[in-house]
Every structure is written in C-alpha cells, then in structure tokens.
Amino acid sequence: MTMATMNDALAGAHGKGHKLGRDLAGLAVILGLAVVGYLLFPNNLALLTRMTAIALLVLSLDLVTGYCGVATLGHAALFGTGAYASGIAAVHFGITDPLLMLACGILGGAVAGLVCGVVILRAHGLPQLVLTIALIHLFHEFANKASSWTGGSDGLAGIAPDPLLGHFEFDLWGRTAYVLGIILLAVVFALLRLVVRSPFGMLCRGVKEDPIRIRAMGASPKLALMKMYVISGAVAGAGGALNAISTQVVGLDSLSFTLSAESLVMLVLGGTGSLFGALTGTIVFMFFEDIVSAANPFHWLTMVGALLIAVVLFAPKGLYGTLAGLAARRREARR
Amino acid sequence: MSAIFEVRNLKRSFGGLAVTNDVSLAMAPGDRIALIGPNGAGKTTFVNLVTGNLTPDSGDVLIGGESVTRIDAIGRVRRGLVRSFQVTRLFQEMTPAEHVALAVLQRDGRAGRMFGHFLAMPEVMAEVAELLGKLGLSELMHRRVSKIAYGQQRLLEIAVALALKPKVLLLDEPAAGVPQSDTGRIEQALADLPADLAVLMIEHDMDLVFRFARRVIVLAAGTIIFDGSPSEVTKDARVREAYLGSYANAGHAA
Ligand SMILES: Nc1ncnc2c1ncn2[C@@H]1O[C@H](COP(=O)(O)OP(=O)(O)OP(=O)(O)O)[C@@H](O)[C@H]1O
Ligand SMILES: [Mg+2]
C-alpha cells in the first residue's frame, strides 16, 4: 500500500466511525424526544402518536423525493392504503392483533407503492407531478365509492385492536399506542439509515443526479426507483397502520391531496435528502400547527404560509439542512 | 481474428442532415484505434448510436457477434461495451471513491445491495484505491466532485469507465480539458489495460493519437474517409482536404 492509499483507508475508517456515531445519536435523539414529549404532554399523547405516524409518511416521501428526485403531490396514497389495509383487516377479517395489523398496513403500502411507482415513473418532470395528483384523487375516489369496505365518507370505524403482545391494552390515554409508535419509528429510522448508505442508496443518489450516467454504468434507473417506491410504500403504510391502530378509525382524509401536500411542505420545511430533515420538518410543522391553530384558529394557515415562505427564502435547504450546513462549515473552518 | 465489436451501415440524420452516413467498421480484441475528424464530423453521434444513447435510422450494431441493435444502452454496457463522455457526466454531490465504488459494485451485480457500506468492503476499496491512484486522484478520493478541478473530473470520467472492466471501450476525447501535465496519466492508464481489450479513442491531440493508435479512422461529414495505419494518415489527400476544408470553414465563420 502506498502512503496515499493508507491515508485514504484511514480517512474511510474514520468516516465510518463518524457515521455510526450519527446513527446512534439519531436514535438517542428520537428516544430522548419521545421521553420529553411524554413528560411534557402526558395528556396529549394522541397528538404525539399522530406526529409519529406522519413522521413515517414524511420519511417515506423523503426516500422518493429527497433521495431519488421524484416530486410527488400524491404520497398520502401510500399512507392511506396502509391505514385502510390494516383497518379493513381488523374490521372485515378479524385480524385484530396489532402487530399483524401493522404487517397488513406495511404490505398494503408496499403494494400501493408498486402501483403508484409503475404509473408515476412512466413520466418525468411536470407530467409526472400531474400524474401523482391524478393518482391521489383516484385513490380517494375509489375509497369513497367502495364504502361497504371503507365506510366511505363516514370513515372506517369499529377497529378494536387486541392488547399489544397480549399484555398491553390500548388504553384511553394512548400510552400503548405512543410506545408502539416510537419503537416503530426508531426501528424504521435505523433500517432506513442502513438503506440510504448502502450501495443501493448510493445508486439512488446517482439516479437523482444523472440517470444517463447510471445507464452508462449498466444499471437501470427505473428498477432502482421502483424498488425505492416499494420501500417507501412499506414505510408510509406502517405510518398509516399506526394511525389506524391508535385512533381506531380510518377516514378519507388519510388518503387526501391535502395530506399529500402537507407532507411535502413538512419535508421541505425540514430539508429534503436527509432523514433528520424529514423528522425535524414533521415535528416543527405539527407543533406549529397545534399551537398556532389553538391560539388563532382564523389565521393559523396564514402563519403556516408565512413560516414556509420564510424558510424557503432564507433557509432553502430546510431547517435541518441549513443548520447542518452551518455546522459543517464551522467544523471545516476550525480545521 | 473475429470481431468483438462491429457496426454495419449505420445511418442517422438530424433534420435532413446525414450526421452518420453509412458507417461500417469492425474491431478485434486488442485493437487500439483512434477516431479523428474535424469538429462536427459526427464522432460523438457515432458513439451515441452504437452505445444506444441514440437510435439509428438504419444499420446494425454487434457485440461479440450478437446483434444489439434492439437492445438498450444498459444491455450493451452489460455485454461489455463501455463509453466515456466528451462532456463529463459525473455526480456533483458524490466523491470519486463513491463513483468508482458504484461502478465496481454495479459491474459485480451488487449495486442493489441494501445494507453495508462500500468503505467497509475491502475488495471494493482495494480496486477503488488502485484505480484512483493510477489516475492521480488518491488525494481527492473523499472530496465532492463539485469541489475538484475540471481536469481531474475528466480523469475520474475515465476511471469510472475502466472500473466497469469493458471488453470494448469507447473514449470520447478523454484528454480534452486535462492539463498537459496530466495527460501522461491517461496514457499510462491506457497502456496498463488488458491486452485483449478493444479501445477506440476519439482525440484531437495528434501527438496522443500517434503514440496510442495502431489504426486511425478519419470521419468527415458522417462518412469514413480513411481507415489505415497512423503513418499513412497524414499523407492521405482526402484527409488533408477534409481538415483544410473544416479550418477554412471555421475561419470563415469567425
Ligand atoms: N441531437 C441532435 N440534434 C440535431 N443535431 C445534432 C444532434 N446531435 C448532433 N447534431 C449535429 O450533428 C453534427 C455532428 O455532431 P457531433 O457531436 O457528433 O460531432 P463531433 O464529431 O463529435 O464534433 P466535436 O469534435 O466538436 O466533438 C453536428 O453538426 C451537430 O450539430
Ligand atoms: Mg464530439
């Protein structure tokens, strides 16, 4: 080994240690925030659990938008399908074990991801964006019409999950659902860290920047994007299932254009292309929404708009992206 | 020797202009060919056509005797036909190490792996370090492409192509934009390639052409006007005329 390759090998090893540290830090932050949330808002665990479910949706969106460059305004299709899959499994098929319901949601989301992927990835750019909007409306309308299965506009009620692992009842305070959600989020986060740093994650970043270069390497951009869409569907489906299990009802709003657009707003707010960014955006947006809508129910949307404009203008990489960029620059300057 | 790569009667025109006009050629393993010709002669278009980046109007492309005319660009790469781009196509947000690692992993069918990190794969890193070392990019291995000089990006473009271990390698002006002091690295990297690899290099630098090629093909206005040994090419009347014509035109346009 020459001196240069030695140094590089060392740099590589160093980089790896650094990344592992960030993984553990990420998990610690999630669990730490979960504890703080529990202590600060013991009477509002339902909001925190909803936040966790939406965080899964935004993480899922980040996979296709942030990592692969596919802009979509229809991502709630995957979340809502997951929610309905687990709700229908419980109501119509008697699958009331919460972990099995979760599995149904994940599966449903993955299938929806496959379907959406097949349609969306046929187009590029603006037509692609229009397709995503068309899809979410189709999914919404389908769920509305299939009311014998979905309850239509009344929502799918009567979801009664068994105690978790046969022991932990889904109590009125929502503690069990909260803990389930946090564990789910932590597991998904850890798995996604693995995926985005794997050779496959690298391939997807390449697809985002230059699909022609990827093809010239002999890899198929489309196949990579399809795989990512299915993974993304599984993650969003898990979020949908969590929502179904914790609220015990699934409404058409879980399959709406509004939720799709909001999740994109949250992602941009936090910063695309980073799992931490997705989490930051969700937490900030949902707290902001909760606080501001309580303080001023008439103008809260205006305030959300103002916040978003401020972030896009002054921190175009999102809240987390901008802070991380500043920190990196400071670290470099100190060297 | 039988042809590893063959093009038969390739044609393509853009808006009535025949940019590739009935081009045929065959390459055998071990060939070192320089494809030269004035600006706008259709050299890059030829590469785009044979690699599947463009569709020909008519004609056939064969790799190892198999017709790949109806096979897409990806399939042709997998059959061993690899190109580099005249205008660098790299991932600005990625490092040279990531580029070469991705190429190596893809070549070995492991680019779809969803766990592990290439830095922790010693066999991949060994290849990455060797290839980048050969092209003088070791120091920049972990720096983002957007932060490295264009000349070095050109070298990385070649490293990516080599990492795919092609059977037929098409280099589109590999030395253009590379500082004179670094072109030696390209030559050395090419000299170190396996002897049975067939290489076709498009190049304007005639010194480089004469040192590299054992066969020179001249393309002008979409047609091959010369195919022979380097010593003959400068004596050929049609070649001189083509180049003089193009310089005259260039002078006229300016
Ligand atoms: N996609 C296209 N549409 C229309 N015309 C094109 C297209 N691609 C190439 N051409 C034209 O075909 C001709 C040949 O272009 P090409 O890039 O193949 O030349 P070249 O020999 O590689 O030149 P250079 O030495 O400058 O790289 C040019 O006149 C160019 O304008
Ligand atoms: Mg060219």
Side-chain angles (χ1 to χ4, degrees):
Chain A
M1 236 198 232
T2 66
M3 203 54 207
T5 50
M6 272 286 268
N7 284 338
D8 291 328
L10 286 176
H14 177 76
K16 226 181 90 201
H18 181 66
K19 290 249 169 71
L20 189 68
R22 279 180 45 137
D23 283 358
L24 293 179
L27 284 180
V29 167
I30 292 179
L31 297 178
L33 282 178
V35 171
V36 171
Y38 185 88
L39 295 176
L40 285 183
F41 307 98
N43 300 321
N44 215 350
L45 292 181
L47 170 70
L48 297 184
T49 307
R50 168 142 180 97
M51 210 180 251
T52 311
I54 299 296
L56 287 167
L57 168 61
V58 179
L59 277 175
S60 147
L61 177 64
D62 198 15
L63 291 182
V64 296
T65 301
Y67 286 92
C68 295
V70 179
T72 160
L73 277 168
H75 213 64
L78 317 187
F79 178 88
T81 306
Y84 276 110
S86 86
I88 289 172
V91 174
H92 295 284
F93 297 96
I95 300 176
T96 46
D97 179 83
L99 293 183
L100 283 181
M101 287 173 67
L102 188 61
C104 290
I106 291 173
L107 196 68
V111 171
L114 186 69
V115 171
C116 289
V118 166
V119 176
I120 291 169
L121 297 176
R122 294 199 158 264
H124 299 278
L126 222 43
Q128 186 173 57
L129 195 64
V130 173
L131 272 183
T132 66
I133 298 173
L135 268 178
I136 186 66
H137 285 306
L138 278 177
F139 271 70
H140 186 272
E141 213 28 51
F142 182 77
N144 191 17
K145 287 278 144 62
S147 56
S148 56
W149 287 96
T150 62
S153 51
D154 295 336
L156 179 64
I159 301 170
D162 295 341
L164 182 62
L165 301 172
H167 264 294
F168 307 98
E169 295 271 357
F170 284 91
D171 50 337
L172 274 178
W173 299 276
R175 275 189 223 128
T176 306
Y178 182 59
V179 172
L180 173 66
I182 293 299
I183 292 175
L184 181 64
L185 182 65
V187 169
V188 168
F189 182 85
L191 287 177
L192 290 187
R193 286 288 289 182
L194 216 58
V195 169
V196 298
R197 282 170 32 209
S198 69
F200 175 69
M202 193 157 68
L203 180 68
C204 288
R205 279 187 287 138
V207 170
K208 179 186 176 188
E209 276 204 57
D210 189 349
I212 294 182
R213 170 33 96 194
I214 287 292
R215 290 165 64 85
M217 286 180 170
S220 162
K222 198 143 176 200
L223 184 66
L225 291 176
M226 273 311 309
K227 282 190 197 166
M228 199 52 132
Y229 242 100
V230 172
I231 296 174
S232 175
V235 172
L242 175 63
N243 211 38
I245 293 167
S246 60
T247 61
Q248 310 198 347
V249 60
V250 181
L252 282 175
D253 58 332
S254 67
L255 208 54
S256 65
F257 175 73
T258 312
L259 182 59
S260 304
E262 266 181 11
S263 60
L264 188 61
V265 168
M266 290 183 229
L267 180 58
V268 171
L269 190 66
T272 60
S274 141
L275 300 180
F276 289 109
L279 294 182
T280 309
T282 312
I283 294 172
V284 171
F285 182 95
M286 292 194 66
F287 263 122
F288 195 80
E289 175 183 329
D290 191 59
I291 293 167
V292 179
S293 68
N296 189 336
F298 298 107
H299 291 301
W300 83 271
L301 267 175
T302 322
M303 310 255 253
V304 168
L307 171 72
L308 190 65
I309 290 173
V311 167
V312 170
L313 287 184
F314 300 113
K317 286 183 178 161
L319 294 171
Y320 177 79
T322 306
L323 287 180
L326 282 179
R329 221 174 304 150
R330 180 165 305 172
R331 223 178 301 129
E332 245 165 58
R334 217 181 298 146
R335 249 193 241 155
Chain B
M1 219 188 287
S2 72
I4 179 81
F5 175 66
E6 199 179 345
V7 177
R8 291 182 190 153
N9 308 103
L10 207 61
K11 285 187 190 171
R12 169 78 202 225
S13 47
F14 291 115
L17 178 71
V19 172
T20 303
N21 194 1
D22 203 13
V23 170
S24 300
L25 69 84
M27 289 172 72
D31 266 355
R32 295 289 183 274
I33 303 178
L35 176 64
I36 64 171
N39 290 116
K43 304 182 293 294
T44 299
T45 305
F46 171 76
V47 172
N48 285 337
L49 287 172
V50 300
T51 53
N53 294 88
L54 270 178
T55 321
D57 297 331
S58 64
D60 270 314
V61 181
L62 294 88
I63 302 173
E66 179 197 4
S67 169
V68 294
T69 318
R70 255 163 266 294
I71 289 173
D72 69 357
I74 301 169
R76 298 186 199 191
V77 175
R78 292 190 180 158
R79 284 166 176 75
L81 177 67
V82 171
R83 69 170 300 176
S84 75
F85 290 91
Q86 179 176 355
V87 178
T88 334
R89 291 198 92 112
L90 297 170
F91 312 118
Q92 297 301 310
E93 298 295 313
M94 288 198 208
T95 65
E98 287 177 314
H99 279 81
V100 176
L102 188 56
V104 169
L105 287 162
Q106 168 58 31
R107 180 197 75 204
D108 295 344
R110 288 193 293 168
R113 233 173 85 160
M114 296 194 187
F115 56 91
H117 193 279
F118 73 91
L119 288 174
M121 301 177 191
E123 68 305 342
V124 175
M125 277 315 285
E127 226 178 303
V128 168
E130 195 203 318
L131 206 45
L132 290 178
K134 200 178 269 181
L135 288 161
L137 298 171
S138 299
E139 308 272 295
L140 307 169
M141 193 180 238
H142 297 297
R143 195 171 299 176
R144 259 192 244 161
V145 163
S146 59
K147 301 225 164 107
I148 68 181
Y150 186 71
Q152 285 158 331
Q153 295 187 20
R154 296 294 303 148
L155 295 169
L156 178 56
E157 174 84 30
I158 296 165
V160 171
L162 297 184
L164 294 167
K165 292 222 172 122
K167 294 193 186 109
V168 181
L169 177 60
L170 310 176
L171 297 168
D172 196 350
E173 303 200 23
V178 177
Q180 202 74 45
S181 54
D182 280 349
T183 51
R185 292 190 186 279
I186 299 182
E187 285 186 66
Q188 192 53 52
L190 294 179
D192 290 347
L193 291 175
D196 60 347
L197 173 69
V199 188
L200 180 143
M201 176 167 81
I202 297 174
E203 188 50 64
H204 284 295
D205 178 347
M206 290 310 282
D207 290 336
L208 200 56
V209 166
F210 288 130
R211 281 199 298 271
F212 164 79
R214 277 166 257 159
R215 178 178 156 198
V216 178
I217 297 175
V218 183
L219 198 68
T223 335
I224 293 182
I225 57 166
F226 176 88
D227 187 343
S229 73
S231 53
E232 305 279 300
V233 69
T234 43
K235 297 179 203 144
D236 190 275
R238 286 186 65 190
V239 173
R240 287 177 167 215
E241 195 187 322
Y243 269 92
L244 280 176
S246 89
Y247 289 139
N249 285 342
H252 196 72

